[in-house]
Amino acid sequence: MSYARIIGSGSCLPPRAVSNDELAADLAKRDVETSDEWIVERTGIRQRHIAEAGTTSSKLATEAARIALEDAGLAPQEVDLIIVATSTPDYIFPSTACLVQANLGIKGCPAFDVQAVCSGFVYALTTANAFIRSGQARNALVIGAEVFSTILDWNDRRTCVLFGDGAGAVVLKASEQPGIIGAQLNADGSHMGILYAAGNVASGQVVGDPFLRMDGQAVFKLAVNSLSQSAHQVCEQAGISLDEIDWMVPHQANVRILNFLSRKLGIAPEKVIITLDKHANTSAASVPLALDAARRDGRIKEGDLVLMQGVGGGFTWGSVLARM
Ligand SMILES: CC(C)(COP(=O)(O)OP(=O)(O)OC[C@H]1O[C@@H](n2cnc3c(N)ncnc32)[C@H](O)[C@@H]1OP(=O)(O)O)[C@@H](O)C(=O)NCCC(=O)NCCS
């Protein structure tokens, strides 16, 4: 049975980077008070990229995918599976994956979205891995793409300072050489009330509250515990020990969560890839953006063992363990 190997990656961030100071000045115009000091101290975030009006998840996803394909040395026509993880799709339907497929000029292969909020990329990667392991695909594009700025309530300082926009993509290829060696996903819908955007369109109108709402402290606690449990489970499944891990690429929500997590797992902080200072929380895009950054700057190399982890609304969480 073939393994699924990551053979390429790519990123796309909207050009406009907004520093905490700029954001604080903008929010002050709405009488919303925040500061660089508060944001850095509580989260580690220093800036985020914000998309221009009209920039969609499919646009960012397509660009990230093109770069990942180039990196992998693969022509779009060789792709036989496209999965996009997003909670901010362009439309209710068609899926963002179908839009990306059309943008890339690919026809015929399965293309669909996965909705698991900030765990979306890990869910999508696990799904693509299952397609490849079972022989149903050989070359898969797996993308996390978000324009979270469109679902933020800019009058709510507890949430609007935390998120950013962007897309990250990887190309997975069937290979006799490992590869993804462990994957495990979880959800507990009973926690839906701590992180949600509960609006919808019905009878031609927006019904409910379309903006992201969050109980930050409840999410914080659940994130640390669920990610540490998941890390143990995926390592056990793969028969490796935590100290064999070369790099951790966790969902980029809050540097304090990552510090707690690495301490709890006994993984040295230098092994944790952190991009949230520059990107903030880009939901499903955060893990592939961080992975791509660390591949491109030479930290993550061929042969390294990488633990990727997602956690977010649903409540959802999970891990993928990959030999690069
Ligand atoms: C959101 C989070 C940063 C808040 O940090 P915290 O230390 O829990 O802060 P609290 O919510 O207790 O708020 C402390 C104070 O800061 C204030 N505050 C909240 N947001 C603020 C902001 N942007 N600027 C300034 N002050 C702010 C609060 O109003 C509160 O003031 P009060 O004590 O006068 O009521 C933190 O809980 C967190 O990161 N949680 C996890 C969130 C997450 O990762 N979500 C995504 C998961 S996918």
Side-chain angles (χ1 to χ4, degrees):
M1 199 193 283
S2 294
Y3 288 100
R5 280 196 70 209
I6 294 174
I7 59 157
S9 63
S11 294
C12 178
L13 291 159
R16 192 170 149 242
V18 180
S19 69
N20 290 343
D21 280 333
E22 285 172 82
L23 182 63
D26 268 0
L27 293 177
K29 293 178 199 151
R30 300 167 176 260
D31 284 330
V32 175
E33 195 190 324
T34 190
S35 65
D36 174 59
E37 195 189 355
W38 190 94
I39 301 171
V40 171
E41 191 194 310
R42 304 283 177 133
T43 72
I45 295 165
R46 292 180 184 275
Q47 65 164 41
R48 73 285 295 137
H49 288 253
I50 301 287
E52 296 290 313
T55 296
T56 57
S57 287
S58 71
K59 191 173 170 200
L60 299 173
T62 303
E63 191 48 33
R66 278 193 218 286
I67 298 167
L69 286 169
E70 203 180 299
D71 185 39
L74 212 68
Q77 280 63 32
E78 293 177 82
V79 171
D80 55 10
L81 172 67
I82 301 172
I83 308 181
V84 175
T86 185
S87 300
T88 46
D90 295 25
Y91 308 124
I92 293 173
F93 66 83
S95 69
T96 305
C98 284
L99 303 177
V100 171
Q101 186 194 40
N103 290 344
L104 293 173
I106 304 170
K107 281 184 199 289
C109 76
F112 58 91
D113 289 0
V114 160
Q115 217 286 35
V117 203
C118 303
S119 309
F121 183 75
V122 165
Y123 266 66
L125 205 54
T126 303
T127 308
N129 180 48
F131 269 73
I132 290 179
R133 297 281 285 168
S134 63
Q136 293 179 81
R138 293 199 60 78
N139 298 313
L141 247 181
V142 184
I143 309 166
E146 303 282 12
V147 279
F148 250 54
S149 57
T150 57
I151 59 163
L152 297 176
D153 176 355
W154 294 98
N155 293 310
D156 178 7
R157 68 179 181 174
R158 292 166 305 163
T159 53
C160 73
V161 303
L162 304 176
F163 295 89
D165 301 330
V170 300
V171 176
L172 283 181
K173 190 175 184 55
S175 165
E176 292 319 304
Q177 185 190 337
I180 291 176
I181 56 168
Q184 76 96 226
L185 302 176
N186 310 89
D188 182 348
S190 70
H191 294 298
M192 64 168 286
I194 62 171
L195 183 52
Y196 55 91
N200 209 336
V201 175
S203 310
Q205 287 185 326
V206 174
V207 179
D209 177 0
F211 295 121
L212 180 150
R213 304 292 175 202
M214 180 176 69
D215 174 345
Q217 287 181 6
V219 170
F220 196 110
K221 272 188 221 140
L222 218 51
V224 174
N225 290 332
S226 53
L227 289 179
S228 104
Q229 206 173 62
S230 174
H232 283 292
Q233 282 172 0
V234 80
C235 285
E236 199 179 304
Q237 183 196 103
I240 67 132
S241 91
L242 278 165
D243 40 76
E244 290 176 68
I245 289 167
D246 296 299
W247 298 103
M248 238 180 112
V249 185
H251 171 50
Q252 308 283 313
N254 185 319
V255 79
R256 283 159 56 217
I257 293 181
L258 305 189
N259 291 342
F260 268 105
L261 183 64
S262 63
R263 216 173 304 141
K264 211 169 160 151
L265 294 174
I267 292 181
E270 309 83 70
K271 291 184 172 182
V272 182
I273 305 294
I274 293 182
T275 48
L276 65 86
D277 52 333
K278 298 188 195 75
H279 302 162
N281 181 345
T282 55
S283 191
S286 93
V287 171
L289 278 170
L291 182 78
D292 184 53
R295 280 183 85 239
R296 281 176 193 273
D297 68 21
R299 275 177 293 172
I300 296 183
K301 298 183 193 63
E302 204 173 323
D304 283 353
L305 189 58
V306 178
L307 173 65
M308 289 170 267
Q309 293 204 288
V311 62
F315 204 73
T316 55
W317 68 100
S319 303
V320 171
L321 199 54
R323 182 72 67 188
M324 301 300 288

